[in-house]
Amino acid sequence: MTKDAPQPIVELSNTLLCIYAIEWSGLFKKSRNRKWAVSWRDNTPNGSRGGHRESGEGRYLLVNLSTGAFAAQGSLPRPNQGQVADNGTFSIEDWHFGSHLSGTFHVFSADGTPIVLRTFTANILESGLSRNGKLAYCITANSPTEDVGKLTLFDLTTGHILFSVRPRRFGADTIEFDEKHRQLVFKVSGGGEYRYGADGVILDEHRADDAFLNSSDYSAVSLSAESMLKGDFSLLTTEKGQEILEALIRARRIGADVNPAWKPTALKSKAWHTKPYHRLRRRLHATRRRSP
């Protein structure tokens, strides 16, 4: 296509980006400033087969929505879950051919130049890209290899990995970025937030505890309470112990007891059915008796 040739018309629906002039129809994500869109197709070139397969590379493309011009395009075995920043930097997960537990995380500049290419011996569970294209993360799923459950943060200004860790805290409803301080912000529904610093360490464990104990997800509440009580019990204050007990009661009330899939864990977490919880209740009662 020459520079002065008319640009193809780009049409967007709720889920698909279509360019009929080149017979393109694919899933897409837009940048927050609505200037860019990255689109991908995880199927063979002739469209006869998508998803899990042994061959037939899919394609991706980056479109400048203000002009309709293609800024970058290419092929990967199984491109998925694209993201695009306000400056046109974009990411793509490659889920690989075959059934092996593996995946590659790609980040490109707006002209298609590679910034990050990181292959994991585990499937990629999710990924994200900061608004201004300065940071990106990906999370891996279960695997028998060292890449199991990894949280990896990339500095896109250098293309380097800031950290790749298997964190003790690993849950949130949304993950956001603090580009200025190079931090990941994990937001827990109903409970608040906690952060990972640029070195891969949680900045405030107490804040993470509070976020999970106050979550609207009973599984998050119960698992966090269980984890806290497995620590050094002598360091648990009476006030924190009371908070844990109240959180567990709330978790049962909002659904833990009535969900068949969760019932075994819910029963295990009952405050009066385990020794640590029983000791905690005795301590709380003793404290009340001593109070004036």
Side-chain angles (χ1 to χ4, degrees):
M1 184 179 297
T2 64
K3 182 177 179 181
D4 297 328
Q7 301 294 342
I9 297 174
V10 179
E11 294 187 6
L12 304 176
S13 68
N14 288 336
T15 58
L16 295 177
L17 182 150
C18 299
I19 306 174
Y20 297 109
I22 60 171
E23 298 183 344
W24 176 273
S25 178
L27 299 171
F28 76 98
K29 271 293 186 70
K30 285 191 295 187
S31 59
R32 290 176 64 179
N33 64 2
R34 300 179 182 274
K35 179 179 179 180
W36 304 93
V38 59
S39 183
W40 62 93
R41 296 195 305 201
D42 179 12
N43 54 31
T44 56
N46 63 9
S48 62
R49 184 170 183 180
H52 178 269
R53 58 191 185 280
E54 299 296 332
S55 63
E57 289 193 334
R59 292 192 61 79
Y60 63 86
L61 57 84
L62 178 70
V63 180
N64 185 324
L65 295 176
S66 62
T67 65
F70 303 155
Q73 55 184 312
S75 61
L76 291 170
R78 293 194 57 203
N80 277 278
Q81 301 301 322
Q83 306 279 341
V84 61
D86 283 355
N87 64 352
T89 296
F90 66 101
S91 63
I92 292 282
E93 299 174 12
D94 177 8
W95 292 359
H96 293 182
F97 293 139
S99 301
H100 297 292
L101 300 180
S102 64
T104 299
F105 184 58
H106 297 266
V107 183
F108 303 92
S109 65
D111 63 1
T113 301
I115 300 173
V116 167
L117 190 161
R118 176 68 165 85
T119 297
F120 297 91
T121 53
N123 290 339
I124 297 175
L125 191 63
E126 68 172 276
S127 60
L129 188 63
S130 68
R131 178 167 187 168
N132 297 304
K134 294 182 179 181
L135 298 169
Y137 78 86
C138 66
I139 297 172
T140 57
N142 288 331
S143 167
T145 73
E146 63 179 11
D147 283 338
V148 57
K150 282 288 184 70
L151 169 64
T152 304
L153 182 65
F154 302 88
D155 182 346
L156 302 184
T157 63
T158 63
H160 296 157
I161 292 176
L162 287 173
F163 65 78
S164 187
V165 297
R166 191 174 302 116
R168 185 174 71 82
R169 298 285 187 179
F170 209 0
D173 294 284
T174 59
I175 301 176
E176 299 180 0
F177 297 89
D178 181 337
E179 289 184 320
K180 180 179 179 180
H181 298 99
R182 300 195 300 176
Q183 296 172 0
L184 278 181
V185 184
F186 283 62
K187 296 196 171 184
V188 180
S189 178
E193 66 180 44
Y194 62 101
R195 294 178 175 231
Y196 277 94
D199 58 357
V201 176
I202 292 180
L203 299 181
D204 189 339
E205 285 280 359
H206 296 296
R207 194 168 185 178
D209 288 339
D210 291 341
F212 283 106
L213 285 182
N214 292 294
S215 171
S216 55
D217 180 347
Y218 56 78
S219 63
V221 175
S222 298
L223 289 175
S224 183
E226 185 177 31
S227 174
M228 292 171 69
L229 290 168
K230 284 181 178 178
D232 188 342
F233 197 77
S234 65
L235 299 178
L236 196 64
T237 65
T238 300
E239 292 75 15
K240 181 57 70 174
Q242 183 65 46
E243 184 181 344
I244 293 171
L245 287 175
E246 291 174 355
L248 283 167
I249 292 170
R250 181 173 61 85
R252 296 178 61 200
R253 187 174 63 248
I254 63 177
D257 276 357
V258 297
N259 186 337
W262 190 253
K263 190 173 182 179
T265 306
L267 291 174
K268 182 181 178 182
S269 297
K270 286 183 179 178
W272 45 87
H273 276 215
T274 64
K275 291 181 180 178
Y277 296 156
H278 187 59
R279 287 158 55 200
L280 177 57
R281 294 179 73 217
R282 286 205 308 269
R283 182 195 295 179
L284 293 173
H285 286 306
T287 302
R288 292 193 187 100
R289 286 198 298 270
R290 290 194 297 269
S291 299

